Amino acid sequence: MQLNFKEIITAFMVLFAVIDIVGNIPIVLDLRKKVGHIQSGKASLIAGFIMIVFLFLGKSILNLIGIDVNSFAVAGAFILFFIALEMILGITLYKQEETNPMTASVFPLAFPLMAGPGSLTTLLSLRAEFRVENIIIAIILNVIVIFIVLKTSKKIEHFLGANGISIIRKVFGVVLLAIAVKLFTENIKVLFD
């Protein structure tokens, strides 16, 4: 087991930007209004479980259907690019469905909001570059942050205000856009070599 703090921090920041839990506070608050109560612990654990399972089984699933990790990483770079555009421009490309109060903590909160296409694609992209144990630690750290943010979402919204949340969302959007470009260029080189 080789722990690399640079890899852990990089993977944590990439996942944090993709999951965008701070930027999703308005969605979380709206969900709370609709369903009354959200089980923060349950939502966080389910999101973490989905991400860790996909980290291990995602590559096998891809191999089963004949896709290599680098091709998936290039496709993931496009998804990250569009998520970043959503964050920066304030547009919505991904339409969410109505929620059922009984399952609000799982859907849409744990999946697809936190452990959605962007974060799952990112995990496989990260696995192409980083060691698995470092990614798992980054996932666990993100799950802890998700739990804290979900528990304190009303206080965070009050503290940051609408403008503060908007600024944070745009800053992480730019970071995510740069990550998408880096993922694309590094993996496209491998595909053409």
Side-chain angles (χ1 to χ4, degrees):
M1 187 164 147
Q2 287 184 317
L3 294 182
N4 181 323
F5 290 107
K6 185 182 176 195
E7 284 190 7
I8 291 169
I9 291 166
T10 305
F12 170 78
M13 290 303 292
V14 170
L15 284 171
F16 184 79
V18 174
I19 295 168
D20 187 30
I21 190 64
V22 176
N24 284 320
I25 286 175
I27 297 168
V28 172
L29 293 169
D30 187 51
L31 199 57
R32 279 190 198 273
K33 286 176 192 168
K34 286 180 185 174
V35 299
H37 176 68
I38 291 173
Q39 295 174 323
S40 305
K42 181 179 179 183
S44 305
L45 288 174
I46 289 172
F49 176 77
I50 291 170
M51 287 189 274
I52 289 172
V53 166
F54 195 80
L55 180 66
F56 287 101
L57 296 181
K59 190 173 181 182
S60 301
I61 294 167
L62 289 179
N63 289 339
L64 189 67
I65 56 176
I67 299 171
D68 62 282
V69 174
N70 297 107
S71 298
F72 197 78
V74 169
F78 283 113
I79 291 174
L80 295 181
F81 177 81
F82 289 118
I83 292 171
L85 285 182
E86 283 186 343
M87 292 167 72
I88 295 166
L89 302 176
I91 57 174
T92 304
L93 299 171
Y94 172 73
K95 187 171 176 136
Q96 295 179 9
E97 298 174 7
E98 286 299 312
T99 59
N100 178 344
M102 298 295 286
T103 59
S105 296
V106 178
F107 185 87
L109 202 52
F111 181 84
L113 199 59
M114 291 181 281
S119 54
L120 297 180
T121 304
T122 302
L123 286 171
L124 285 188
S125 302
L126 289 172
R127 185 159 183 184
E129 295 181 44
F130 299 152
R131 295 185 62 83
V132 174
E133 56 267 23
N134 297 323
I135 300 170
I136 290 172
I137 292 170
I139 291 170
I140 292 167
L141 291 173
N142 268 288
V143 167
I144 292 167
V145 171
I146 288 167
F147 176 74
I148 292 167
V149 170
L150 289 178
K151 272 290 190 199
T152 61
S153 56
K154 287 181 182 175
K155 291 177 185 173
I156 292 171
E157 184 200 33
H158 181 72
F159 177 74
L160 293 175
N163 288 337
I165 290 172
S166 177
I167 290 167
I168 289 170
R169 190 175 172 92
K170 288 184 189 323
V171 167
F172 276 103
V174 172
V175 170
L176 194 57
L177 193 58
I179 291 164
V181 170
K182 183 176 184 263
L183 266 176
F184 178 80
T185 54
E186 286 181 0
N187 286 285
I188 205 81
K189 283 178 196 170
V190 175
L191 290 175
F192 284 113
D193 283 347

